[in-house]
Amino acid sequence: MKIILDNEEKEVKEGTTVNDLYRLKRRTGRHIVKVNDTVIRQAQYKSVTLNEGDNVQIKRVTSGG
């Protein structure tokens, strides 16, 4: 199935979770994950299954002063 991941079309298997994508992208540090503009909490990564056409954004959290 096709999803949009960080503004690029990506083919993923049926049943792919947010956690699967997070590991695939080899993210380290703190990030915000949104699926269709809804923020997904880290505790939900394994339970949120993606659907055809979902728009997923994984963005690194930065802070400064």
Side-chain angles (χ1 to χ4, degrees), residues 5-35:
L5 175 59
D6 294 333
N7 299 317
E8 294 182 19
E9 192 172 275
K10 180 136 184 94
E11 187 78 27
V12 296
K13 297 184 299 184
E14 293 283 332
T16 296
T17 65
V18 168
N19 193 61
D20 295 332
L21 285 184
Y22 196 81
R23 288 185 309 162
L24 177 70
K25 295 285 275 187
R26 297 187 179 137
R27 302 293 184 157
T28 59
R30 298 192 61 170
H31 291 81
I32 290 182
V33 177
K34 289 184 177 181
V35 176

Side-chain angles (χ1 to χ4, degrees), residues 16-61:
T16 296
T17 65
V18 168
N19 193 61
D20 295 332
L21 285 184
Y22 196 81
R23 288 185 309 162
L24 177 70
K25 295 285 275 187
R26 297 187 179 137
R27 302 293 184 157
T28 59
R30 298 192 61 170
H31 291 81
I32 290 182
V33 177
K34 289 184 177 181
V35 176
N36 302 322
D37 292 323
T38 299
V39 174
I40 307 299
R41 296 184 183 273
Q42 190 171 3
Q44 298 172 301
Y45 286 3
K46 291 181 181 179
S47 64
V48 175
T49 303
L50 301 173
N51 298 300
E52 178 81 26
D54 278 348
N55 185 347
V56 182
Q57 298 290 314
I58 302 175
K59 300 297 178 192
R60 185 176 187 123
V61 175

